[in-house]
Amino acid sequence: METRVLLKNRKPDRILDLDEYRASGGYTAAEEMLQTGRPADVQEVLEAAGLLGRGGAAFPMGVKLSTVAEDAPFPRYLVCNADEMEPGTFKDRVLIHTSPHLLIEGMLLAAFSVRAEHGIIFIRPEYENAARILEREAALAREHGLLGKNIFSSGFNFDIVVHRSGGRYICGEGTALLNALEGKRPNPRKPPPYPTVRGLWQLPTVVQNVETLCFVPHVVQNGAEWFRNLATGPDEAGTKIFSVSGRVRRPGCYELPMGTALSEIIETHAGGMAGDGRFKACLPGGASTGYMPESMYHQEMGYKGLSDAGFRLGTAAVMVFDHSACLVGATVNLLAFFARESCGWCTPCREGLPYMHDLLRRIENGQGRAEFVPMLREMAGQMGLAYCAFAPGAAAPVESLITYFEDELREHIETRRCPFETRGPIAGATK
Amino acid sequence: MPKLIIDNREIEVPEGTKVIKAAEKLGIYIPRFCFHHALGAVGACRVCAVKFQEGPVDGVQMSCMIDAQDGMKVSTADPEAADFRRSVIEWLMLNHPHDCPVCDEGGHCLLQDLTVAGGHGIRRSKGRKRTYTDQYLGPLVYHEMNRCIQCYRCVRFYREYSGYSDLGVTGIAGRVYFGRLREGILESPFAGNLIDICPTGVYTDRPSRYTGRRWDFERTPGVCIHCSLGCRTTVSARYRQVVRVEGRFSQQVNRDFICDRGRYGFYYADRPGRPRNGRINGQTVSAQQAVEEARDRLQRITQEHGPEAVGIIGSARSSLQTLSALVHLCHTTGWQGPVFRNTWIAGAAADAAVRALSPENAFSMREIETADAILAVGADPVNEAPMLALAMRQAQRTGAEIIAIDPRPLDWPFDFAHLACRAEEMEETLASAAERLSASRRPVVICGTEITDDGIVMQAADLVAGLRGSDKRAGLFCTMPQANSFGAALLDESNACAADLADRIETGQIRALAVFESDLWHVFPDRSRLSTALEKLDLLVSVDFLDTPLFENADIGIPSLTVFEAGGIYVNQEGRAQQVRPAHTGGLPIAAAGLGDHPPRSFSPDVPGRDMPAAWAAAFSLSGQAPPETDAQMTAWMRDNFAVLADLAHMEADGVRLFAGRKVSIPDEAQIPEKKPDQFLELLPAPTIFGGEPMSGHSQCLRELAGLPAVWMARADADRLGIADDDRVSLGFENIEVTLNVRISDPMAQGVLVVYRHPDIDWQPAPDGKRIFISEDQIRRIEKA
Ligand SMILES: Cc1cc2nc3c(=O)[nH]c(=O)nc-3n(C[C@H](O)[C@H](O)[C@H](O)COP(=O)(O)O)c2cc1C
Ligand code: SF4
Ligand code: SF4
Ligand code: SF4
Ligand code: FES
């Protein structure tokens, strides 16, 4: 059964408007909290609920909010990360197109908890429709006193602007995003200080993903206990929107209890494998996570469960490959993306990824040599010493390819060709 | 103070020291590309990885990013860290062109060194290399982007450290590009530092391209003499010729960097026109013959007309050796002088500054960097003392407020409040701006001496004294016109200026003049008066290493050694005496002496052109005395003969501070600037970084940067006079007429026309002690053809 919290108001053809949102109980959590609650209440309930960041890093939101010190300087900023750049991920877009006011209310509550006056939605430029929806609905919210000065007569002021990203993958990284907003190059910043201490223009800044923020009104309204119980077991909390793509019959966004088994996601919700395909592997959380092999077909898909198994749930963008797919070719493709999108700041990522791409491309094209495999393994491991999480993310598919599909790699090298032969050689260098 | 162990050796370092620095203290050099002590740590290159084996940090981490903490145990040789470092180098070399044989960085290239040290020797990659298009960046810096290893040092220096924005990074991933948006001349007058700061050969020294490897050069610690700051340099010479100057670290003065005037100003020393032979009445003779002839004729005039008939002129571009030898010369012979001041007013301001500076209140540039408020009055660092601008920028980056009181348009690489006012308004503006320092704890007052008078200098000194009285760590910083202005003021007993001697020539009292290393022609207020006066003389002797018009016209010309051959002591504007050692043996450069075969194929034991004396030695010889034989004996002689120089005995790495030890108080007759009459504008000649200073003005590469001669005026004045930006105007005053391009600026003082000194403007600066006012109808707009 699909457990719908965030997507409960999803309509096939249009967004939920403000009246409908309010009729379904929207903004009551915010109204009550702003009028009668304390900022710390929001933080406490989120911490107790165990709401983890949905943007990929799975950092507990309540804990993050608590790092904005009581006496930290003003103004403070709340940034909604709507960059959604992780390949395979399309849940934030669906959320905005489903119920923009859920996001606005979530931002309002999050801002209230740290007394931030400025909200910024940092949005991927391809999401121009979503950006316009948000601008329009934010204006409407302002007209109705849901944004702006003295919201719900509580004395709290908060407003939102929508900022379109320059459109590179790295801009979605929480600290690179801050540099981008400041008009600088989107190189990540190395904490400490963390953005909650010195973020945008050196002032306290909370950065949260769209999905994370959309949970806030629900958790504030229904409590931590309720949220925890949404998951399949006591180790996980809440629901998660899975963006399922690849060789399945019904790709799409599915909001399911955290911890739902992969097999159930594919078979019950995504309609099973497409055509006569057999499950071969999947990327569980976007391009920067490792391939899960067939042996993990029944793995429970939760932050805790996957990390215990040595994987990351990331954004829960499940990309499914069937037995006809060449994972070497797929990884060459992913590396081309990462090599192109590196911000160019640190050496391992800027130079190492194109190198790995080159080696893997040679293997795929039948020019591989046995020593490429240990070279790739060593370099993939060394990506962990890059400046930010981009490079280790980029290395994750390579590492898992070598761990679980070394035979496939070796076959490419020994037979000097791609055994899948689904297409001709992959041309060109990455630059 | 945290204590940690690096490679099994213990070290205690101050709180906040990065591990990479702590290792340095143990003599352990951890590789680095992006880390630079002036620019800080940014963690970009990842080549400084070490293994943290015990303590609060775990595993392989970047040693430049982590503060040393108690209990750390660090290994630099750990295989995981060493393998990673080797990988980083392999990655960096993937796209490197390996063109070391034709790269000027070769031999002192950090990438070469660390590639060898890191153990990456064989190329494994079969991939193609990326290539870039290089840019023309102007006459000083050569650009070859293929060699870049993306350490970001250049842009961090250029943009963050020095505050210019026309060089930056574009692109992402493997396509990041370091350069300008469009190729063109770099706008920063500190651009030459890119050459020093880049760890590879992306930026190399353009004028000295392909002149040799570092090991081919005689490299000598030097001190820049192109302004009063006395920045430290390293001078590289080859084949009896200076080929390159680089910045040299100094804790108190310039830190790591120098300005482009200092880096490229040396070309005067070996230009073809430099006097290398003696000259008697237009005939070429040996230097020695010229000295003897001058000595004999001066003695004859002294015998016939008495010692008052001979006058001696020197200048603040000479070494302290020369200045003291000249004082001694006049003492022993009874000759008049020596006169060190060009104009009375400039000398008076510098003299007031020297008297006002004491060991307590005189701040170094290092102390400027830590100021929390800066008030600059009548000082334009970028044009008068360039490196001071970088020190001020560092202060501003850490939060200092900066206020400028100046009539000129100021183009400084940091934010500041400009209170534009004319000379006669300066005193009042300074008095009211002083209040803005009241909240600061470490304020500095910077005072110029080129366009201000002694009254302003003393007012600034009093302001500092007042601030110190109210418990602030306040300092005074005065810029001065020339490298040894401080030294000249210390030794100057006459307080006379060149014009005073001109009076005496006109009355016939002085019949012979010996001018040492002075561009009298260039600086004397009234040129027609000067030429008439000089014509009256029985004898004009010029001792110089520059072929000035005076040298050309002198009866006897004696060539002197430059600082690169003679060395010398120079006292910078804070009273810091610094020793310069000779950079090469002297003599005609081999390129000129070798009959075209360069490098030479034939050798002879004697060096042509080595008989030139240092100016100080010539000074001794003119009175018939034998000069001290060695540099050391000369220094000892100076200490013994001049009480103010006694402290030279304590010369250390950072030099030694000399002070006049006299108190200032505002004298009754302090200068009160004339008021500007209505319908008149003040014509203000102003110093400029490129082209205005006599020695560096000979560097062709700097002349290219001087731009067109121009007159700057405030918008309100231009509007009233119906003049637009870029118009050409002719200015007529007294018997001079100049045509200049107009630049309109805001803010700058109304009622002032600023003309920056320029090699193409052959005219006089201000008449002595007076301001030049020109009436509005003497400014004519010239119709464009
Ligand atoms: C290379 C990289 C790209 C990222 N892109 C996104 C993104 O597009 N959207 C997003 O919400 N988070 C992205 N993140 C995660 C953010 O850094 C950050 O953790 C997140 O926005 C915080 O919000 P959350 O705690 O609500 O997830 C990215 C991280 C990395 C390392
Ligand atoms: S790993 Fe380095 S180059 Fe890659 S995105 Fe992060 S900072 Fe930039
Ligand atoms: S040009 Fe030089 S200083 Fe600049 S990033 Fe490249 S290697 Fe570093
Ligand atoms: S600031 Fe002055 S002393 Fe320093 S390098 Fe430049 S000209 Fe020379
Ligand atoms: S020197 Fe430490 S990362 Fe470059």
Side-chain angles (χ1 to χ4, degrees):
Chain A
M1 221 344 259
E2 262 185 69
T3 317
R4 289 186 157 199
V5 176
L6 302 184
L7 296 180
K8 76 175 174 198
N9 289 316
R10 189 173 182 186
K11 306 230 175 321
D13 53 349
R14 62 183 180 82
I15 68 163
L16 194 71
D17 67 27
L18 178 57
D19 292 340
E20 289 170 318
Y21 180 68
R22 297 195 86 159
S24 77
Y27 286 110
T28 50
E31 179 164 11
E32 203 184 310
M33 181 56 73
L34 261 60
Q35 285 173 348
T36 60
R38 299 171 303 138
D41 293 339
V42 179
Q43 182 262 318
E44 280 159 17
V45 68
L46 291 175
E47 194 168 342
L51 173 59
L52 304 182
R54 281 356 190 201
F59 190 81
M61 178 172 175
V63 176
K64 190 189 287 184
L65 295 178
S66 71
T67 58
V68 178
E70 200 46 42
D71 57 355
F74 290 94
R76 303 170 183 179
Y77 297 94
L78 173 75
V79 178
C80 166
N81 190 345
D83 206 37
E84 194 152 69
M85 274 286 180
E86 185 64 34
T89 315
F90 42 93
K91 63 191 176 65
D92 296 344
R93 174 163 178 264
V94 168
L95 277 170
I96 295 168
H97 282 261
T98 297
S99 179
H101 286 283
L102 179 59
L103 175 60
I104 294 171
E105 187 183 359
M107 288 181 71
L108 176 57
L109 281 164
F112 174 71
S113 79
V114 295
R115 288 178 294 153
E117 282 191 23
H118 300 292
I120 298 164
I121 299 174
F122 186 90
I123 194 164
R124 175 181 176 139
E126 290 86 349
Y127 288 1
E128 181 57 27
N129 282 344
R132 290 194 190 167
I133 289 170
L134 287 167
E135 279 170 342
R136 188 187 68 211
E137 298 304 313
L140 201 62
R142 213 169 288 129
E143 268 172 42
H144 285 77
L146 304 166
L147 288 177
K149 298 256 178 269
N150 194 18
I151 302 167
F152 298 125
S153 317
S154 64
F156 180 66
N157 308 327
F158 177 67
D159 214 333
I160 291 176
V161 295
V162 178
H163 179 95
R164 286 146 180 88
S165 162
R168 308 278 1 174
Y169 178 55
I170 192 61
C171 296
E173 197 281 336
T175 55
L177 177 157
L178 300 179
N179 278 336
L181 278 175
E182 288 182 16
K184 298 181 181 149
R185 289 177 60 78
N187 299 123
R189 298 177 184 174
K190 192 93 186 167
Y194 286 88
T196 47
V197 178
R198 266 191 270 148
L200 207 49
W201 292 291
Q202 302 297 312
L203 291 159
T205 305
V206 173
V207 182
Q208 299 290 169
N209 173 255
V210 172
E211 185 183 346
T212 322
L213 287 165
C214 286
F215 274 117
V216 176
H218 293 287
V219 177
V220 167
Q221 187 146 44
N222 301 314
E225 182 74 13
W226 166 84
F227 183 76
R228 288 190 160 280
N229 287 336
L230 291 173
T232 53
D235 287 345
E236 312 280 358
T239 59
K240 179 79 196 78
I241 301 181
F242 292 88
S243 315
V244 186
S245 64
R247 302 291 289 159
V248 291
R249 257 196 207 104
R250 279 201 315 269
C253 270
Y254 300 98
E255 185 183 1
L256 300 170
M258 188 73 86
T260 304
L262 175 61
S263 48
E264 187 193 326
I265 297 174
I266 293 177
E267 286 166 20
T268 314
H269 304 286
M273 299 296 293
D276 56 0
R278 289 191 318 274
F279 177 86
K280 176 177 180 181
C282 80
L283 290 167
S288 49
T289 56
Y291 294 106
M292 286 167 65
E294 202 185 336
S295 60
M296 297 181 70
Y297 188 53
H298 297 291
Q299 171 68 40
E300 293 187 345
M301 301 286 276
Y303 283 115
K304 175 86 171 47
L306 265 190
S307 100
D308 287 350
F311 285 82
R312 289 192 320 115
L313 184 58
T315 60
V318 181
M319 276 186 262
V320 180
F321 299 86
D322 72 9
H323 67 284
S324 69
C326 171
L327 291 187
V328 177
T331 314
V332 172
N333 184 312
L334 293 176
L335 276 179
F337 168 81
F338 286 120
R340 189 190 73 212
E341 293 298 321
S342 157
C343 84
W345 178 248
C346 72
T347 312
C349 173
R350 184 190 59 244
E351 310 295 341
L353 293 179
Y355 193 7
M356 287 163 68
H357 172 260
D358 182 68
L359 293 179
L360 209 57
R361 185 182 56 90
R362 281 169 202 277
I363 295 176
E364 170 67 5
N365 288 347
Q367 302 143 0
R369 312 232 310 234
E371 69 264 26
F372 288 4
V373 178
M375 281 168 74
L376 281 166
R377 183 184 290 125
E378 180 181 34
M379 281 194 257
Q382 289 173 333
M383 290 303 134
L385 294 172
Y387 186 83
C388 83
F390 178 108
V398 183
E399 275 182 314
S400 58
L401 179 74
I402 300 173
T403 310
Y404 298 104
F405 301 94
E406 187 167 353
D407 291 348
E408 192 172 320
L409 264 172
R410 298 247 175 242
E411 195 181 343
H412 277 79
I413 294 170
E414 275 150 27
T415 62
R416 313 200 121 266
R417 58 191 271 281
C418 172
F420 296 90
E421 294 225 303
T422 47
R423 61 190 144 182
I426 299 176
T430 47
K431 303 157 245 179
Chain B
M1 295 243 294
K3 224 184 251 172
L4 70 166
I5 294 171
I6 306 175
D7 290 348
N8 300 319
R9 288 158 67 197
E10 197 178 62
I11 174 102
E12 194 171 345
V13 290
E15 203 76 48
T17 308
K18 301 289 180 205
V19 171
I20 198 170
K21 288 298 267 182
E24 252 172 47
K25 293 208 166 156
L26 284 169
I28 300 168
Y29 181 86
I30 300 175
R32 79 281 310 267
F33 287 122
C34 63
F35 176 76
H36 183 281
H37 63 105
L39 307 178
V42 292
C45 76
R46 317 306 279 177
V47 83
C48 66
V50 296
K51 174 83 157 256
F52 290 78
Q53 295 171 319
E54 283 170 28
V57 176
D58 187 37
V60 176
Q61 298 277 351
M62 301 309 129
S63 58
C64 72
M65 296 292 279
I66 293 189
D67 285 346
Q69 288 161 58
D70 263 327
M72 280 179 166
K73 188 158 179 272
V74 179
S75 163
T76 64
D78 171 88
E80 193 190 342
D83 284 350
F84 178 68
R85 294 198 302 262
R86 188 184 314 119
S87 284
V88 169
I89 300 209
E90 177 175 14
W91 293 327
L92 290 174
M93 293 304 279
L94 287 175
N95 290 295
H96 190 78
H98 297 160
D99 59 345
C100 308
V102 291
C103 173
D104 260 357
E105 192 81 2
H108 61 282
C109 173
L110 196 58
L111 182 61
Q112 272 185 339
D113 293 351
L114 294 187
T115 302
V116 174
H120 167 67
I122 293 168
R123 182 177 181 80
R124 298 191 292 177
S125 167
K126 306 250 173 311
R128 299 202 311 191
K129 294 184 182 185
R130 74 175 159 240
T131 54
Y132 299 97
T133 308
D134 301 328
Q135 291 183 328
Y136 171 75
L137 297 178
L140 308 182
V141 180
Y142 205 95
H143 190 230
E144 300 217 16
M145 241 317 272
N146 288 345
R147 298 176 183 145
C148 178
I149 55 163
Q150 293 85 15
C151 68
Y152 290 77
R153 278 192 193 182
C154 52
V155 291
R156 283 150 61 211
F157 166 76
Y158 202 91
R159 303 174 75 90
E160 293 161 28
Y161 193 93
S162 61
Y164 290 82
S165 59
D166 61 311
L167 182 103
V169 204
T170 54
I172 61 164
R175 301 176 305 282
V176 286
Y177 186 89
F178 298 81
R180 286 168 48 93
L181 212 49
R182 253 185 231 106
E183 68 175 5
I185 297 176
L186 290 170
E187 286 164 15
S188 164
F190 307 100
N193 294 299
L194 293 173
I195 300 159
D196 293 356
I197 200 116
C198 175
T200 74
V202 176
Y203 306 102
T204 50
D205 193 281
R206 190 177 189 109
S208 71
R209 204 163 138 80
Y210 298 151
T211 47
R213 294 283 180 221
R214 180 164 280 190
W215 59 73
D216 294 324
F217 298 146
E218 298 171 69
R219 285 167 59 80
T220 316
V223 171
C224 175
I225 58 167
H226 296 289
C227 84
S228 63
L229 297 178
C231 297
R232 303 285 186 85
T233 61
T234 300
V235 180
S236 289
R238 190 183 195 196
Y239 299 138
R240 301 202 291 263
Q241 189 164 350
V242 176
V243 290
R244 187 178 297 164
V245 166
E246 290 151 299
R248 177 164 63 97
F249 183 77
S250 148
Q251 187 62 253
Q252 293 297 330
V253 186
N254 54 312
R255 303 282 212 141
D256 296 86
F257 305 111
I258 55 172
C259 76
D260 289 348
R261 185 204 271 185
R263 186 179 298 267
Y264 295 103
F266 65 87
Y267 285 97
Y268 68 90
D270 294 302
R271 57 194 293 270
R274 173 178 165 190
R276 292 186 182 270
N277 289 302
R279 220 204 191 101
I280 301 176
N281 300 330
Q283 299 293 307
T284 300
V285 296
S286 76
Q288 208 43 46
Q289 279 172 296
V291 171
E292 282 159 18
E293 177 78 8
R295 177 195 64 201
D296 295 346
R297 284 172 66 177
L298 286 170
Q299 263 166 23
R300 226 173 297 141
I301 290 171
T302 310
Q303 276 155 17
E304 283 169 25
H305 304 283
E308 315 77 49
V310 178
I312 301 291
I313 291 181
S315 88
R317 73 166 145 94
S318 292
S319 66
L320 201 60
Q321 279 82 345
T322 301
L323 299 176
S324 41
L326 292 178
V327 174
H328 175 70
L329 177 64
C330 292
H331 278 177
T332 51
T333 56
W335 293 343
Q336 299 202 27
V339 166
F340 296 144
R341 293 180 176 188
N342 298 327
T343 64
W344 194 86
I345 193 149
D351 191 53
V354 169
R355 281 187 288 129
L357 290 165
S358 68
E360 293 76 43
N361 70 6
F363 268 20
S364 65
M365 277 208 276
R366 171 75 207 273
E367 288 163 302
I368 299 252
E369 289 181 353
T370 59
D372 62 356
I374 298 176
L375 180 56
V377 51
D380 180 1
V382 170
N383 283 310
E384 293 170 7
M387 282 303 294
L388 173 60
L390 284 200
M392 291 166 78
R393 174 161 171 91
Q394 305 323 307
Q396 205 227 8
R397 286 175 74 199
T398 51
E401 188 197 3
I402 299 181
I403 304 165
I405 300 175
D406 205 288
R408 293 167 285 187
L410 302 175
D411 187 8
W412 295 351
F414 44 81
D415 292 334
F416 61 99
H418 186 176
L419 312 176
C421 67
R422 288 194 300 273
E424 70 264 28
E425 300 156 346
M426 243 184 220
E427 185 186 333
E428 206 183 308
T429 316
L430 176 58
S432 63
E435 241 163 68
R436 291 168 70 171
L437 300 180
S438 59
S440 66
R441 298 175 55 208
R442 297 181 309 280
V444 181
V445 179
I446 294 176
C447 187
T449 57
E450 295 212 47
I451 66 153
T452 54
D453 53 46
D454 51 346
I456 290 294
V457 176
M458 287 183 285
Q459 193 188 346
D462 282 351
L463 171 58
V464 170
L467 290 164
R468 293 181 71 85
S470 53
D471 253 11
K472 295 184 192 301
R473 232 186 92 47
L476 180 64
F477 191 100
C478 299
T479 59
M480 292 184 192
Q482 285 183 289
N484 223 345
S485 292
F486 197 109
L490 278 181
L491 293 172
D492 192 355
E493 293 164 347
S494 68
N495 290 348
C497 66
D500 298 331
L501 288 194
D503 289 343
R504 281 174 244 167
I505 297 171
E506 281 158 358
T507 61
Q509 196 193 0
I510 290 183
R511 312 179 76 100
L513 200 60
V515 182
F516 283 76
E517 301 181 334
S518 166
D519 306 299
L520 213 43
W521 204 261
H522 195 73
V523 296
F524 194 82
D526 185 339
R527 193 177 287 177
S528 55
R529 183 177 166 210
L530 176 68
S531 63
T532 332
L534 294 183
E535 258 158 45
K536 276 198 78 181
L537 287 173
D538 294 345
L539 175 65
L540 175 63
V541 179
S542 171
V543 183
D544 213 329
F545 51 82
L546 292 180
D547 52 336
T548 62
L550 196 81
F551 192 92
E552 303 294 314
N553 292 319
D555 301 309
I556 300 179
I558 301 174
S560 66
L561 296 177
T562 65
V563 66
F564 302 113
E565 298 122 7
I569 293 172
Y570 291 81
V571 189
N572 80 354
Q573 38 62 46
E574 40 152 357
R576 186 182 302 277
Q578 301 187 101
Q579 174 88 51
V580 194
R581 304 259 167 232
H584 60 94
T585 51
L588 201 58
I590 288 177
L595 297 171
D597 55 337
H598 179 66
R601 303 278 180 266
S602 56
F603 298 90
S604 90
D606 38 71
V607 176
R610 276 208 68 185
D611 61 339
M612 287 155 52
W616 58 265
F620 275 96
S621 304
L622 288 194
S623 66
Q625 296 178 48
E629 265 167 34
T630 64
D631 288 347
Q633 283 169 10
M634 178 60 187
T635 315
W637 174 89
M638 289 157 67
R639 291 200 310 261
D640 296 344
N641 285 273
F642 297 91
V644 278
L645 305 184
D647 281 344
L648 289 179
H650 310 299
M651 183 81 77
E652 283 173 13
D654 266 333
V656 62
R657 302 284 283 270
L658 303 178
F659 291 98
R662 285 178 274 167
K663 278 254 170 295
V664 246
S665 57
I666 297 186
D668 300 340
E669 77 285 20
Q671 289 281 312
I672 298 181
E674 271 171 274
K675 238 177 98 64
K676 180 184 80 67
D678 288 344
Q679 313 293 310
F680 278 78
L681 288 103
E682 176 178 5
L683 191 68
L684 180 65
T688 173
I689 178 163
F690 299 128
E693 183 261 340
M695 287 172 284
S696 63
H698 288 290
S699 295
Q700 192 50 42
C701 55
L702 294 184
R703 286 179 80 129
E704 275 182 50
L705 299 175
L708 293 172
V711 54
W712 294 71
M713 60 176 79
R715 177 157 307 281
D717 291 329
D719 289 351
R720 193 179 61 253
L721 298 170
I723 292 172
D725 212 10
D726 232 16
D727 275 354
R728 277 177 77 72
V729 292
S730 133
L731 307 179
F733 61 98
E734 297 182 357
N735 51 358
I736 295 158
E737 176 104 11
V738 275
T739 305
L740 298 164
N741 283 9
V742 173
R743 293 271 172 278
I744 293 175
S745 176
D746 255 325
M748 66 171 274
Q750 282 183 35
V752 176
L753 301 170
V754 173
V755 178
Y756 290 103
R757 281 186 211 133
H758 189 285
D760 295 347
I761 312 180
D762 184 29
W763 70 319
Q764 327 295 309
D768 203 10
K770 288 201 214 89
R771 300 163 69 201
I772 313 170
F773 297 113
I774 82 173
S775 92
E776 288 184 356
D777 48 63
Q778 283 170 301
I779 305 168
R780 285 186 301 108
R781 199 170 142 255
I782 298 175
E783 294 301 327
K784 287 202 184 117

